[in-house]
Amino acid sequence: MKLEKVKINTEYIKLDQFLKYADIVQSGAEAKYFITENEIKVNGEIVSQRGKKLRSGDKVDINGKLYIIIN
């Protein structure tokens, strides 16, 4: 499975911000809806909090597509 790298320039990025940054959604409102309607796993655990902090090294699985946070 391909792992897409997402580079951040801060200590962390919140899940809803990540979705916009990675061009998965276009707005915060869309991110909120997307999080409730899709299975999102961070490091293997299902998350539903849009404020979940993602840090360098975290792996995000969105409907089978994998991302890794790097800085």
Side-chain angles (χ1 to χ4, degrees):
M1 187 178 292
K2 186 175 179 247
L3 195 63
E4 186 173 324
K5 295 177 181 174
V6 178
K7 183 170 175 51
I8 62 171
N9 300 316
T10 55
E11 179 186 345
Y12 65 85
I13 187 170
K14 292 182 180 177
L15 179 57
D16 58 350
Q17 296 169 331
F18 166 80
L19 293 173
K20 289 190 290 184
Y21 187 71
D23 285 330
I24 297 166
V25 299
Q26 302 303 311
S27 69
E30 192 178 340
K32 182 178 179 182
Y33 178 77
F34 186 89
I35 292 166
T36 61
E37 296 298 314
N38 292 273
E39 183 174 282
I40 301 173
K41 293 180 183 175
V42 177
N43 299 325
E45 293 184 25
I46 296 174
V47 295
S48 58
Q49 315 92 308
R50 60 188 177 131
K52 169 75 175 165
K53 292 178 181 176
L54 307 174
R55 301 176 191 280
S56 182
D58 283 347
K59 291 183 179 141
V60 182
D61 179 342
I62 301 173
N63 298 326
K65 183 165 183 182
L66 282 176
Y67 301 86
I68 187 165
I69 309 295
I70 61 170
N71 60 0

